[in-house]
Amino acid sequence: MGFARTCSVALVGVEGVVVEVQADLEPGVAAFTLVGLPDKSLTESRDRVRAAVVNAGAAWPQKKLTVGLSPASVPKSGSGFDLAVAAAVLGAAERVDPRAIADLVLIGELGLDGRVRPVRGILPAVLAAADAGYRQVVVPEQTAGEAALVPGVSVLGVRSLRQLIAVLTDEPVPEEEPTEAGRPDAMLAGLLVPGAGLGTGLAAGPGDPAEGPDLADVAGQHRARRALEVAAAGSHHLLLSGPPGAGKTMLAERLPGILPPLTRQESLEVTAVHSVAGILPPGEPLVRRAPYCAPHHSATMQSLVGGGNGLPRPGAVSLAHRGILFLDEAPEFSGKALDALRQPLESGHVVIARAAGVVRLPARFLLALAANPCPCGRHTLHGAGCECPAALVRRYQARLSGPLLDRVDLRVEVEPVTRADLLGQGGRGESSAAVAARVHEARARAAARLADTPWRVNSEIPGHELRTRYLAAPGALADAERDIERGLLTARGLDRVLRVAWTVADLAGHERPDGQDIALALELRTGIARGVPVGAGDRP
């Protein structure tokens, strides 16, 4: 009787669970039994592993073989267990030393010819292995760079099962023929989900902000440009409302260009989600720029917050983690889908309960909404001939519910572009690089102030801390207090005004918000003019 064990990782959402893969050989009729709550794709690994072992030059044991995946209560899916199953079988057959694989974590799919194919979710899987105390992992060669992002872990990238056997038995490692230049690499097919990327409106920000659309291309819109700057500096949610053609989508598409690069920890979080979702570009193991996700207004609630058959998969709110979720034509989204955004907007994560289990997915994003004032879009234009009845206009605007809008910090009316602005007579606006520099300085001031706290941007500070620890200048809250008495502000609204005021103060270089900073924050939230300059270059 032979026995061997090794380890792999099962992904539950974007978190990993280390699974012990055990192989047991007993005398009897040759059979291969796989136990441990596998799904269909994992059950099929029996045939893949058998063919891969034989084609790798090793003998398949002609005995009763049982492979167990422990803990058996955790659902296991995908083809990433193939490599660990093959190693455990070879260890039980004494083709390799069972002690050499006992402390290894192996992740990868096997082809029938013995090649090791890459799978999705390598980064969160290796992170889970490192957290469990494992220090040696074996992954497909194409994903070795992604696995190497985890510190303190020794990574071995292999192209075939033959190479793994040679490494474990101290034999000369055979060379595998590389893919011919100019020929598509079929091995990379397992990393990408068909239709992800452009099909879902998702794209990671470019490595160089100059490669993206420039804010200088926007004609006029000084108020909206200032709102974009405040939103980027403090990660505040934003609503752009106005008639068609005013530039709402154009402004939102330039928001990623003024966001600062992701920190190392944020990059790892984003890369883990994108790796599981299958949208991580091959050859770019680390996402360095904030992602930008813009789903179509026909998106369902499950596609926004996450869902799918079996264990839920990341939705748009998770794909936009540490980046921007832009909902164009927001009133056209279903009310059920929009209201599902309330909880992740507050908590920064989404908890999805299904019959197969409960999954917690990260969802800390900047929400940007764009909306027309009515179905035809001409309601706010004088003399434009809007024929929408008043009741229809009210129903259309009510599609964005009060509780959802209460979580939006900045609400800006985007006015139609004037002829002077459109023809360039008003001068070219500031570039994304100039605005990004101010955003970076404001973020640095906020980070220095919040250095000893778990928060990094102003939008994350709890309301209690804003009212007790981070106080505004004396008398600065007079206007906000009057708005609360008049019913224009809720308790949550006051907290969000204070957060925006701190961001405005950081952009202006103030030590703490004064009356003018509070007034500008109130104007950006309520839309009521307070006599404060908001145009680019008019900062106090």
Side-chain angles (χ1 to χ4, degrees):
M1 182 179 72
F3 177 83
R5 63 181 181 84
T6 187
C7 295
S8 190
V9 179
L11 290 177
V12 182
V14 293
E15 299 177 357
V17 178
V18 175
V19 172
E20 187 177 75
V21 181
Q22 304 168 344
D24 178 69
L25 285 174
E26 296 179 357
V29 178
F32 189 169
T33 304
L34 183 65
V35 297
L37 212 60
D39 71 344
K40 179 65 175 176
S41 62
L42 182 50
T43 303
E44 292 174 350
S45 69
R46 294 178 299 183
D47 299 318
R48 291 194 300 269
V49 169
R50 181 187 294 109
V53 168
V54 173
N55 290 324
W60 183 259
Q62 297 300 317
K63 296 181 179 180
K64 181 181 179 182
L65 172 62
T66 304
V67 174
L69 307 176
S70 179
S73 59
V74 176
K76 303 164 192 73
S77 61
S79 56
F81 292 88
D82 289 2
L83 195 59
V85 171
V89 171
L90 293 172
E94 298 183 352
R95 177 63 178 86
V96 300
D97 187 355
R99 294 172 296 180
I101 61 174
D103 295 326
L104 278 182
V105 174
L106 300 102
I107 307 165
E109 176 185 335
L110 285 175
L112 299 183
D113 56 356
R115 291 185 301 170
V116 180
R117 303 176 64 92
V119 294
R120 301 191 300 270
I122 288 293
L123 178 59
V126 177
L127 283 171
D131 291 341
Y134 292 88
R135 292 294 174 261
Q136 292 182 313
V137 298
V138 179
V139 298
E141 187 179 62
Q142 293 88 341
T143 57
E146 183 181 344
L149 296 173
V150 182
V153 176
S154 175
V155 178
L156 173 62
V158 295
R159 293 184 63 88
S160 67
L161 184 58
R162 290 195 308 154
Q163 288 185 340
L164 177 61
I165 296 174
V167 171
L168 294 175
T169 56
D170 293 328
E171 299 174 359
V173 179
E175 292 290 335
E176 298 291 342
E177 295 182 3
T179 304
E180 297 179 7
R183 188 177 179 183
D185 189 358
M187 300 284 284
L188 299 177
L191 293 178
L192 299 176
V193 173
L198 291 178
T200 57
L202 178 76
D208 183 1
E211 298 177 4
D214 199 325
L215 201 57
D217 299 334
V218 179
Q221 303 298 358
H222 300 300
R223 184 183 300 272
R225 290 168 61 98
R226 183 63 196 281
L228 251 65
E229 182 177 343
V230 173
S235 192
H236 302 289
H237 306 307
L238 171 69
L239 169 64
L240 300 172
S241 59
K248 302 185 294 296
T249 304
M250 191 176 185
L251 285 162
E253 289 174 345
R254 282 149 179 78
L255 188 53
I258 63 176
L259 288 177
L262 299 176
T263 64
R264 174 75 177 184
Q265 180 60 35
E266 291 171 345
S267 293
L268 290 175
E269 294 174 8
V270 174
T271 303
V273 176
H274 288 199
S275 178
V276 170
I279 58 174
L280 195 62
E284 298 181 15
L286 188 64
V287 178
R288 303 181 187 276
R289 299 291 303 175
Y292 173 81
C293 187
H296 190 260
H297 59 74
S298 61
T300 62
M301 183 187 73
Q302 289 77 13
S303 67
L304 284 182
V305 300
N309 295 328
L311 287 175
R313 299 187 62 82
V317 296
S318 297
L319 300 179
H321 180 60
R322 299 296 181 184
I324 299 164
L325 177 63
F326 176 50
L327 302 185
D328 201 3
E329 305 293 347
E332 300 296 338
F333 283 78
S334 71
K336 187 178 180 181
L338 289 174
D339 287 337
L341 300 177
R342 297 183 194 175
Q343 186 252 348
L345 285 177
E346 285 290 322
S347 62
H349 63 267
V350 58
V351 178
I352 307 172
R354 296 290 187 270
V358 179
V359 174
R360 183 181 187 271
L361 300 171
R364 189 169 295 281
F365 56 91
L366 190 163
L367 177 64
L369 303 169
N372 293 327
C374 67
C376 76
R378 300 190 297 269
H379 180 67
T380 57
L381 297 178
H382 299 291
C386 175
E387 298 179 355
C388 299
L392 179 61
V393 174
R394 286 195 301 270
R395 285 197 302 270
Y396 187 80
Q397 295 178 352
R399 293 182 181 179
L400 299 179
S401 64
L404 176 64
L405 290 180
D406 200 33
R407 292 165 167 83
V408 178
D409 305 334
L410 312 173
R411 308 172 191 175
V412 181
E413 185 73 29
V414 181
E415 301 291 341
V417 182
T418 64
R419 181 180 61 180
D421 289 331
L422 193 59
L423 299 179
Q425 299 174 9
R428 186 176 173 86
E430 284 185 300
S431 65
S432 293
V435 178
R438 289 201 299 269
V439 169
H440 180 74
E441 293 176 2
R443 287 267 185 128
R445 292 190 186 98
R449 183 174 62 251
L450 303 172
D452 298 329
T453 69
W455 318 298
R456 290 295 174 265
V457 291
N458 293 322
S459 62
E460 298 175 359
I461 305 175
H464 174 73
E465 297 289 333
L466 290 168
R467 294 188 296 271
T468 57
R469 183 175 177 182
Y470 302 103
L471 299 175
L477 291 175
D479 290 345
E481 292 170 355
R482 283 194 294 269
D483 283 1
I484 290 179
E485 294 176 354
R486 296 170 182 169
L488 297 177
L489 272 184
T490 62
R492 180 192 287 119
L494 176 62
D495 292 344
R496 293 189 174 275
V497 166
L498 291 174
R499 292 167 183 159
V500 174
W502 270 106
T503 301
V504 173
D506 288 336
L507 287 168
H510 298 164
E511 291 187 3
R512 56 178 176 171
D514 56 19
Q516 200 170 21
D517 297 330
I518 296 291
L520 179 54
L522 286 169
E523 182 171 339
L524 289 174
R525 179 172 179 83
T526 63
I528 301 174
R530 311 278 172 161
V532 183
V534 295
D538 293 334
R539 296 184 301 121

